[in-house]
Amino acid sequence: STVDVALLVEEQRKILADIVNTKDFVEPCFPPQYNIFDLFVRTYHKLIVDNIKELTLKYAESLSTRDIIDLVDWLKEYHGRLEDLQ
């Protein structure tokens, strides 16, 4: 069994877009003490980390070099975008 890394990365980009939308549109609707953006980031981050961890454990042997590079590139993009939002 294999995994479609391109599809996975695209789905993870949608999650990243949700995080950006939360920062731009949801956070302003809550009092600062709710720390709503931090809550969203922690929740989404855990989901992303768990998904990537499961993927690498379950499909490690079937991942191509290109798949691994694509995942690493996406993780760098993800972390960079999170840093930009802080």
Side-chain angles (χ1 to χ4, degrees), residues 4-5 7 23-24 26-27 63 66 77 79 83 85:
D4 184 341
V5 171
L7 179 62
K23 177 71 172 175
D24 293 343
V26 177
E27 184 180 47
L63 292 174
R66 178 80 257 160
E77 173 190 341
H79 284 285
E83 287 176 8
L85 293 171

Side-chain angles (χ1 to χ4, degrees), residues 12 15 19 38-54 74-75 78-79 82:
Q12 299 304 316
I15 291 174
I19 292 171
D38 291 339
L39 173 65
F40 269 74
V41 168
R42 282 193 312 272
T43 303
Y44 276 78
H45 185 73
K46 180 172 179 2
L47 173 69
I48 289 167
V49 168
D50 289 349
N51 284 340
I52 298 296
K53 201 180 289 187
E54 180 181 347
W74 180 82
L75 287 169
Y78 167 73
H79 284 285
L82 285 183

Side-chain angles (χ1 to χ4, degrees), residues 9-38:
V9 167
E10 187 56 38
E11 291 301 313
Q12 299 304 316
R13 283 195 174 112
K14 290 177 185 177
I15 291 174
L16 186 55
D18 284 348
I19 292 171
V20 172
N21 287 333
T22 299
K23 177 71 172 175
D24 293 343
F25 303 112
V26 177
E27 184 180 47
C29 298
F30 288 85
Q33 67 268 21
Y34 281 44
N35 296 316
I36 199 70
F37 180 69
D38 291 339

